């Protein structure tokens, strides 16, 4: 299938990012300093998950006060979540899975979107709605790199953002796969560092990781 302009935009954004931190922000006051810490470490493309009551306000605050950040919304579970992400001006949306209703809404939306898949059948459903860049989730738990390579056979044109069980130790192996454009994960911003406000520590993790993983 031919990629849509939305999917091409998303692919370019993800390829530039290399790593997309999955951010679950519990306190609104943490949002801006966390984003600044990530950006200072060379990590600009951020996924703010809709797992907490302050998620949308956190995304708005980051957009307003951290202009270098590229803010997307994750854990999009339904059309209402998708509409909220689009309404605040998010650059992209990501889902851990996908229902037919969500895929239909995402196909009609202007928001670049990556549905989540774990099986060939789920991938076929995503492709039927025009999505050839998908989130492979949960990546390690769904068979890891061997499973990803198996999917590459019947689906050679699909590109993936694996997330789930990926950290500093194995991110390079995933990124070496030709059908992987980026990886997602939460290891760049440990919850303990967020709670304690160890922003310098988060920047240091980002700097180290990006030096290891970013192509020259």
């Amino acid at each position: 299938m031919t990629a849509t302009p939305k999917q091409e935009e998303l692919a370019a954004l993800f390829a530039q990012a290399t790593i997309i931190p999955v951010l679950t922000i519990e306190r609104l006051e943490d949002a801006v300093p966390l984003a600044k810490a990530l950006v200072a470490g060379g990590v600009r493309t951020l996924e703010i998950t809709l797992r907490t009551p302050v998620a949308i306000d956190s995304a708005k605050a980051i957009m307003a006060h951290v202009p270098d950040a590229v803010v997307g919304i994750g854990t999009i579970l339904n059309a209402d979540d998708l509409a909220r992400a689009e309404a605040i001006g998010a650059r992209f949306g990501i889902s851990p899975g996908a229902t037919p209703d969500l895929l239909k809404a995402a196909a009609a939306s202007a928001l670049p979107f990556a549905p989540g898949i774990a099986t060939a059948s789920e991938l076929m459903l995503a492709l039927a709605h025009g999505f050839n860049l998908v989130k492979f989730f949960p990546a390690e738990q769904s068979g890891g790199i061997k499973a990803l390579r198996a999917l590459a056979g019947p689906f050679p044109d699909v590109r993936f953002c694996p997330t789930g069980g990926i950290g500093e130790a194995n991110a390079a192996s995933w990124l070496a796969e030709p059908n992987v454009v980026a990886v997602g994960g939460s290891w760049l911003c440990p919850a303990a560092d967020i709670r304690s406000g160890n922003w310098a520590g988060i920047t240091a993790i980002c700097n180290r990781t990006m030096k290891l993983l970013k192509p020259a």
Side-chain angles (χ1 to χ4, degrees), residues 20-40:
I20 301 170
V22 178
L23 308 179
T24 301
I25 300 174
E26 303 284 351
R27 301 176 303 200
L28 181 57
E29 60 266 28
D30 292 334
V32 169
L34 173 59
K36 286 182 176 178
L38 290 161
V39 169

Side-chain angles (χ1 to χ4, degrees), residues 3-12 113-114 130-134 159:
T4 65
K6 278 194 307 182
Q7 288 281 283
E8 289 295 344
E9 178 185 342
L10 190 62
F113 179 73
F131 297 98
N132 71 334
L133 193 167
V134 298
R159 290 165 289 185

Side-chain angles (χ1 to χ4, degrees), residues 128-213:
H129 285 81
F131 297 98
N132 71 334
L133 193 167
V134 298
K135 175 177 179 173
F136 181 44
F137 178 82
E140 285 288 345
Q141 298 87 339
S142 298
I145 288 174
K146 287 183 178 179
L148 190 77
R149 289 175 178 169
L151 289 171
F155 306 105
D157 297 325
V158 174
R159 290 165 289 185
F160 296 90
C161 177
T163 307
I166 296 176
E168 190 171 327
N170 62 352
S173 297
W174 282 96
L175 287 165
E177 294 300 306
N179 55 354
V180 169
V181 290
V183 297
S186 56
W187 83 93
L188 294 173
C189 41
D193 284 344
I194 297 175
R195 281 194 296 270
S196 65
N198 183 17
W199 311 123
I202 289 172
T203 296
I205 294 171
C206 293
N207 274 321
R208 182 177 72 242
T209 302
M210 294 305 281
K211 284 177 183 174
L212 287 171
L213 300 179

